[in-house]
Amino acid sequence: MTEMNHYKADLRELEFALFEQFELGKLLKTNAFKHIGEEDARLILKEGYTFATSVVGPTMVSADRTGCVIDKGLAKAPPELREVWKKYYADGWNMLTQPESNGGQGAPQLLGVAVTEMMSGANTGFHMYPGLAMGAAAVIRAFGTPAQTELYATRLEKGDWGGTMVLTEPQAGSDVGLSTTKAVSRGDGNYSITGSKIFISGGDHDLAANIVHLVLARIEGAPKGTRGLSLFIVPKMRVNPDGSLGPSNDVVCTKLEHKLGINASATAALSFGESGQCIGQLVGGEPSKGAEPGEGMRKMFLMMNGARIGVGVQGLGVASSAYFNALAYARTRLQGAHPTKGRGDKGAVPIIAHADVRRMLMEMKCLVEGCRALIYSAVRMLDDAHALRADRKAKEADELEEYMGLFIPLVKAFTTDTAVHVASLAMQVYGGHGYLKDHPVEQYLRDARIFPIYEGTNGIQALDLVGRKLGQGGGKLIGRFGQEWGAFAAAMKERKGWQAEAATLGKALAALNTVVGKYLEFFTTGKADVVLGSATRFLEVLAKVTIARHLADAAFKAEAQLAKVSADSQDAQFYAGKIASARYFLRNILPAAVTLAEIIATGDSTAVDAPDGGFSLAF
Ligand SMILES: Cc1cc2nc3c(=O)[nH]c(=O)nc-3n(C[C@H](O)[C@H](O)[C@H](O)COP(=O)(O)OP(=O)(O)OC[C@H]3O[C@@H](n4cnc5c(N)ncnc54)[C@H](O)[C@@H]3O)c2cc1C
């Protein structure tokens, strides 16, 4: 059973982000992407919208209510997803950004991310299945043998089989190094896998004939910790050399979790090798043929980086649709009187007339647009790196990709925390009606809540930022950031009408710089705990400073266009909205980030120093 579509996107906004702000048109003229014309890209965007709103979106509510079940020992996804899965692959949405050499369209990631935003926003639980399958295919293509690529990656890409990433165990969550799943060589190049994994997205379902699990396991005798982990291909059903399916591979789904949200996505507890019959292959083949055991985390990281951006995009898609639904509701819900214009001829005004509702809507708008810019700018760097490589500028490409790594924790953590906040604000705009299942916003809030948790909790993202990315290459990533953002702020100071906002951005950059210096001091004076204790806040400050520049940049582009369009046109309102987003963010949100940076720099260690019993002796 499918219902009405609730997914809302504004194509004008997406076109602005792609073509006016991040200059997709220019990218499409580079050697790497010149096979796709600008008109093609606009058409793909529109078709993506049509698919998201007419095929994916109508399943969001019903799949949430049906959920995933184990029926007579078989794990089943909500039945309406079967048709969506088939159409999604038949229309080639999963292949949009894959290289032409693999049968893909070779489109820029920038275009791909806009389409993914829509698919994910339309039914985020559904979109996880193809997203994970494509992630698994990418790892096999990058590190597998040609035979593994032929046997597994191509079938994952066709949608014949599903795919997963299998790390978590009951005792090994954030600390993946505690994993105990074992791999024992069978002497024929294969391994016997035994162990229990939990929380595996897409871990068992009936959307595809087989599921290719990428499993982290420890080869007998390998060292403890993450460096002893290797990555294995472990299919649910054994696979014959011609790709036909053999018998069950002794991978048993022992449970599907009952969860707060993303109920369309099967979250499975999996038992590998209970009967001693589970066989896996090392990704890359046998050690005797050059495959390196103990390289599991490095290989998994390829999937994880993509997955971290993917989770950020999930957050963006859901937050954006939550905003537009709240906006539409605010235009029709009649309550109260306007403070100066009274009740009007309908007896009450639409709630969008109330200043406090406008505050919530503007906060949602600028945060959604800011997160979009944060993500699209990062993805644009990947495309630029690809374009540089196509022009044989590998060194510059490597540098750009390394720099992009600075933004991954922001994309994953800030966007997903913001998604929860925006979904919550959307519910607030609906009032009590938003709390009911009659409207989609309660589902947005439930679905969004997992995003800050999985794929490395947001706390772990912050540790990655301060513990690894800040110091990387002697601080060159944050150094480059400071130069680029500093140059932008300096130019902004000269811009008429933006001096106050430019001053705030300048202050924020100075405060950020002070924190980075203080962090070095704390690290070198035995106060690492102070850094770790404020890492999440630091990530928030860095994300807000990053976004401030992108929103201001969007506003300047909008100002230039505003001068060219007629004052009563729709475009004039659209561009005025872009300017309002930037002003609101720089006037209302960025100043709080400056204060936060100042607090971090004080090195307060109250939470770290408090005695354990001081939190309460009762628990
Ligand atoms: C719906 C769902 C889908 C999932 N899908 C997958 C999947 O497909 N594949 C997969 O392998 N896993 C999956 N997971 C697991 C998910 O990635 C983990 O839940 C997550 O990594 C956190 O591990 P944990 O739940 O054991 O929490 P813990 O690691 O116990 O963390 C609890 C808290 O402690 C904090 N913490 C832990 N260690 C540190 C530290 N060193 N410093 C500071 N703070 C710390 C965390 O940030 C968190 O706030 C999924 C989980 C869910 C709920």
Side-chain angles (χ1 to χ4, degrees):
M1 184 192 68
T2 53
E3 297 185 2
M4 69 175 278
N5 168 62
H6 293 283
Y7 178 65
K8 294 192 193 308
D10 179 356
L11 275 180
R12 179 69 185 87
E13 166 62 24
L14 292 179
E15 283 178 351
F16 175 88
L18 290 180
F19 294 100
E20 294 174 62
Q21 185 165 16
F22 293 107
E23 301 181 322
L24 179 58
K26 269 193 195 161
L27 192 65
L28 294 175
K29 293 200 168 65
T30 60
N31 288 326
F33 299 112
K34 64 184 179 202
H35 59 282
I36 296 190
E38 189 171 323
E39 280 317 305
D40 299 336
R42 287 184 190 274
L43 197 64
I44 290 169
L45 188 71
K46 283 202 182 81
E47 285 175 354
Y49 173 81
T50 304
F51 194 90
T53 50
S54 63
V55 180
V56 185
T59 63
M60 184 187 90
V61 172
S62 62
D64 170 69
R65 306 304 192 257
T66 313
C68 301
V69 291
I70 299 185
D71 182 18
K72 299 189 188 94
L74 295 176
K76 295 190 171 168
E80 55 271 53
L81 298 188
R82 279 171 165 270
E83 208 44 39
V84 189
W85 171 279
K86 270 194 219 143
K87 284 187 181 152
Y88 186 85
Y89 283 94
D91 285 8
W93 288 112
N94 62 315
M95 296 304 278
L96 179 59
T97 58
Q98 297 298 307
E100 287 180 292
S101 53
N102 300 349
Q105 294 188 54
Q109 304 281 346
L110 185 55
L111 180 59
V113 83
V115 169
T116 305
E117 178 190 326
M118 293 190 282
M119 301 296 180
S120 215
N123 183 351
T124 205
F126 162 73
H127 195 256
M128 290 170 71
Y129 293 103
L132 283 156
M134 290 307 290
V139 172
I140 295 172
R141 276 202 181 272
F143 302 110
T145 61
Q148 288 173 338
T149 298
E150 181 54 34
L151 204 53
Y152 296 102
T154 53
R155 286 174 176 83
L156 284 163
E157 287 162 358
K158 280 191 212 140
D160 293 345
W161 299 345
T164 63
M165 52 193 285
V166 185
L167 296 84
T168 306
E169 298 180 13
Q171 78 296 346
S174 304
D175 195 354
V176 181
L178 293 176
S179 303
T180 56
T181 296
K182 245 188 356 192
V184 178
S185 171
R186 297 168 63 97
D188 59 356
N190 292 317
Y191 288 79
S192 292
I193 309 290
T194 45
S196 297
K197 298 279 185 177
I198 57 167
F199 295 168
I200 305 308
S201 297
D204 204 5
H205 57 82
D206 57 351
L207 297 177
N210 201 3
I211 300 175
V212 181
H213 301 292
L214 287 186
V215 181
L216 276 183
R218 199 178 305 279
I219 296 176
E220 230 184 359
K224 287 186 175 165
T226 49
R227 73 194 174 90
L229 293 173
S230 299
L231 189 62
F232 294 87
I233 297 173
V234 185
K236 171 179 163 180
M237 306 299 295
R238 291 202 190 149
V239 177
N240 299 316
D242 65 357
S244 59
L245 296 185
S248 158
N249 193 26
D250 194 13
V251 181
V252 178
C253 172
T254 52
K255 187 166 132 191
L256 289 180
E257 305 295 348
H258 296 282
K259 331 189 274 288
L260 176 70
I262 57 162
N263 290 319
S265 169
T267 308
L270 297 177
S271 172
F272 293 88
E274 258 180 27
S275 312
Q277 297 300 319
C278 179
I279 298 178
Q281 279 179 15
L282 203 54
V283 173
E286 299 173 48
S288 64
K289 293 189 179 155
E292 302 153 275
E295 285 279 286
M297 282 307 282
R298 188 175 71 80
K299 290 173 184 160
M300 197 58 117
F301 254 111
L302 180 89
M303 195 167 174
M304 284 199 289
N305 270 344
R308 283 175 182 178
I309 296 176
V311 175
V313 178
Q314 278 190 293
L316 172 62
V318 169
S320 179
S321 189
Y323 163 54
F324 289 128
N325 273 280
L327 177 62
Y329 185 79
R331 291 191 199 282
T332 53
R333 171 72 175 162
L334 303 176
Q335 282 295 288
H338 187 273
T340 55
K341 296 178 196 154
R343 290 191 167 268
D345 53 11
K346 291 193 176 132
V349 294
I351 58 171
I352 193 171
H354 298 306
D356 189 53
V357 173
R358 293 180 89 83
R359 166 192 65 80
M360 292 191 275
L361 292 172
M362 188 52 74
E363 185 162 331
M364 284 189 262
K365 173 172 155 65
C366 73
L367 285 172
V368 167
E369 291 171 13
C371 287
R372 183 173 291 116
L374 171 67
I375 294 176
Y376 285 21
S377 64
V379 165
R380 168 78 210 233
M381 285 185 227
L382 291 179
D383 287 329
D384 283 339
H386 182 62
L388 284 165
R389 256 191 208 104
D391 290 341
R392 300 184 187 285
K393 293 180 181 158
K395 187 165 167 286
E396 287 105 310
D398 288 347
E399 280 170 7
L400 193 56
E401 275 179 355
E402 195 186 359
Y403 180 46
M404 197 281 298
L406 178 68
F407 299 96
I408 285 202
L410 313 186
V411 165
K412 178 354 175 123
F414 185 77
T415 307
T416 59
D417 282 340
T418 300
V420 176
H421 176 59
V422 167
S424 179
L425 277 174
M427 183 179 282
Q428 200 67 20
V429 168
Y430 274 78
H433 297 273
Y435 196 67
L436 309 185
K437 298 213 177 231
D438 304 359
H439 296 283
V441 286
E442 63 82 30
Q443 188 178 341
Y444 288 142
L445 186 55
R446 285 188 291 111
D447 284 353
R449 192 58 190 86
I450 186 60
F451 306 153
I453 296 173
Y454 60 23
E455 211 34 67
T457 63
N458 284 0
I460 298 293
Q461 302 299 322
L463 297 188
D464 176 46
L465 176 65
V466 303
R468 217 160 64 87
K469 302 281 167 65
L470 276 192
Q472 202 166 318
K476 69 177 178 187
L477 308 186
I478 192 74
R480 179 169 172 179
F481 175 89
Q483 274 172 8
E484 288 180 2
W485 263 246
F488 183 89
M492 189 172 163
K493 266 196 205 148
E494 308 303 320
R495 206 175 165 98
K496 209 169 139 234
W498 289 90
Q499 274 86 6
E501 289 83 355
T504 310
L505 182 57
K507 264 195 222 161
L509 282 167
L512 199 60
N513 207 22
T514 305
V515 174
V516 173
K518 281 280 177 189
Y519 269 4
L520 197 62
E521 182 191 316
F522 296 147
F523 266 130
T524 51
T525 53
K527 293 185 187 163
D529 259 359
V530 171
V531 179
L532 304 181
S534 62
T536 290
R537 293 168 150 204
F538 177 78
L539 186 149
E540 182 185 336
V541 174
L542 187 60
K544 286 182 174 168
V545 174
T546 306
I547 284 173
R549 174 198 164 167
H550 290 311
L551 287 179
D553 174 51
F556 301 161
K557 287 179 170 136
E559 275 186 344
Q561 292 304 314
L562 204 49
K564 296 181 198 161
V565 298
S566 91
D568 57 359
S569 65
Q570 289 204 339
D571 260 354
Q573 291 203 43
F574 173 78
Y575 289 125
K578 297 304 296 179
I579 294 165
S581 285
R583 286 220 194 276
Y584 189 89
F585 189 90
L586 277 119
R587 290 178 181 179
N588 293 274
I589 295 178
L590 189 61
V594 178
T595 305
L596 190 51
E598 286 163 1
I599 295 168
I600 298 169
T602 65
D604 176 60
S605 58
T606 310
V608 171
D609 296 341
D612 279 4
F615 287 93
S616 169
L617 288 168
F619 303 99

